Amino acid sequence: MLSEPDSPWVSRLCPSPNHGERKGGCGIDMLVLHYTGCPSCESALLWMLSPDAEVSAHYLVDEDGEIIQLVAEERRAWHAGLSCWAGETDVNSRSIGIEIQNAGHLEDPPPPYPEKQIAAVIALVEDIVRRHGIAPWRVVGHSDIAPDRKADPGEHFPWERLGKAGLCLHAPSAPLNLPGEMLKPGDSGPAVCALQRDLARLGYGLAETGDYDETTRAVVRAFQRRFRPARIDGLADSSTRETLKRALSRLASMRRVW
Ligand SMILES: [Zn+2]
C-alpha cells in the first residue's frame, strides 16, 4: 500500500500496519505535529511498526533531519486519538500526522529540537500544505487538539519558525506580568464566557459555559504552550489574554488573504 513516498523529502519507507480507511469524505485539510516522547528514533519506529501499539503517523522526522514515511497519505493514520479542532472530532480522517523525534517531557527541561531536524520539518510541512491546500491555521500541535491528555510537540517546539515561513498561525507573546485582572479556576461569569469564546474561535474544543473549570484550564495551558511558552500555568493572566487577542487578530488577517 505504501510503495512510493508521497513527498520528495522522504529518504526511507517503513510501512506500518496501523492505519485504516479515511472516513467522511472530507479530504485532507489539517496537519498535526507531535513529538515521539521516546528516547530514540529507533524505539519510536519500533513502537509505530508494532500491530499491538495501534498507533502510527504518516511521517517520522529523526533528529538528524532524516524523514521516514510509515503510512500513505491517502490512508488514515492513528496519531490524534480522542481529539477536537474547530468542531471536528475525527481529526485522523482529515489530517496528516508528523511525529518528530524528541524525548519531550520525559526530560526536564525537554531537549531542544536540533536545527537540521527543524529545517526538515519545515520542508516537509511546506510540501504537504502546498499539495493539499491546508490553511495555516489548521496546522496544529497534538496538545491543541487534545489539551487534557497531550503536551506535544511541547513548549520548546519553535512555532515561530513555522509561523515566519507562513505555515502556521503564530503571534508574538505579550510580555509576562502585564498589569490587569487575572481569570482563574473557580471564576465564573461573562469574562470567562468571553475567554472561552475567543479560545474556541482559534479552534480549541471548548464550550462557552461561563465556568472556569478543569477543561478551560487545560485549554488555557495548551494555548500558552503554543503561543506564550514563557509560563504555562493554565491561568488567564493579562499577558495570556493579550496574546490571545494578538493571535485572533493575526488569524483574521490571514483569513482575509487566504
Ligand atoms: Zn502526539
Side-chain angles (χ1 to χ4, degrees), residues 18-165:
N18 303 328
H19 57 84
E21 199 83 43
R22 289 188 183 270
K23 299 170 201 160
C26 49
I28 295 166
D29 64 358
M30 280 187 74
L31 195 153
V32 183
L33 299 178
H34 305 258
Y35 66 48
T36 63
C38 290
S40 71
C41 188
E42 293 69 41
S43 56
L45 192 55
L46 273 179
W47 177 240
M48 289 191 283
L49 297 183
S50 153
D52 296 337
E54 299 191 332
V55 296
S56 63
H58 296 90
Y59 298 97
L60 170 62
V61 182
D62 200 354
E63 284 167 308
D64 63 2
E66 189 195 14
I67 299 174
I68 302 164
Q69 186 167 4
L70 295 89
V71 174
E73 288 185 3
E74 61 171 17
R75 302 288 291 170
R76 181 178 181 274
W78 302 340
H79 58 97
L82 197 61
S83 50
C84 180
W85 189 253
E88 308 288 347
T89 51
D90 186 2
V91 172
N92 279 338
S93 277
R94 56 196 314 148
S95 66
I96 301 281
I98 302 177
E99 285 282 356
I100 307 166
Q101 173 50 35
N102 186 277
H105 296 90
L106 278 183
E107 292 180 23
D108 184 21
Y113 289 92
E115 175 53 37
K116 264 188 145 174
Q117 186 182 33
I118 290 306
V121 168
I122 287 175
L124 180 61
V125 170
E126 216 157 39
D127 172 53
I128 294 168
V129 301
R130 186 184 44 78
R131 282 188 289 106
H132 295 284
I134 300 173
W137 53 89
R138 294 179 69 83
V139 174
V140 296
H142 201 183
S143 55
D144 292 320
I145 62 172
D148 49 344
R149 299 186 301 119
K150 295 292 175 180
D152 62 311
E155 58 277 18
H156 56 307
F157 184 77
W159 285 105
E160 74 285 356
R161 295 276 307 277
L162 270 76
K164 278 189 185 134

Side-chain angles (χ1 to χ4, degrees), residues 154-202:
E155 58 277 18
H156 56 307
F157 184 77
W159 285 105
E160 74 285 356
R161 295 276 307 277
L162 270 76
K164 278 189 185 134
L167 299 174
C168 71
L169 174 64
H170 183 74
S173 300
L176 290 176
N177 306 323
L178 281 183
E181 196 204 344
M182 172 156 80
L183 294 171
K184 55 187 184 312
D187 288 352
S188 60
V192 177
C193 275
L195 171 72
Q196 292 169 328
R197 191 165 53 237
D198 284 349
L199 288 163
R201 280 166 63 204
L202 273 191

Side-chain angles (χ1 to χ4, degrees), residues 213-234:
D213 53 9
E214 273 312 306
T215 308
T216 305
R217 183 169 196 169
V219 170
V220 170
R221 217 182 264 127
F223 172 80
Q224 291 170 333
R225 224 181 265 295
R226 169 87 185 266
F227 293 94
R228 212 275 319 258
R231 190 191 291 153
I232 301 156
D233 55 10

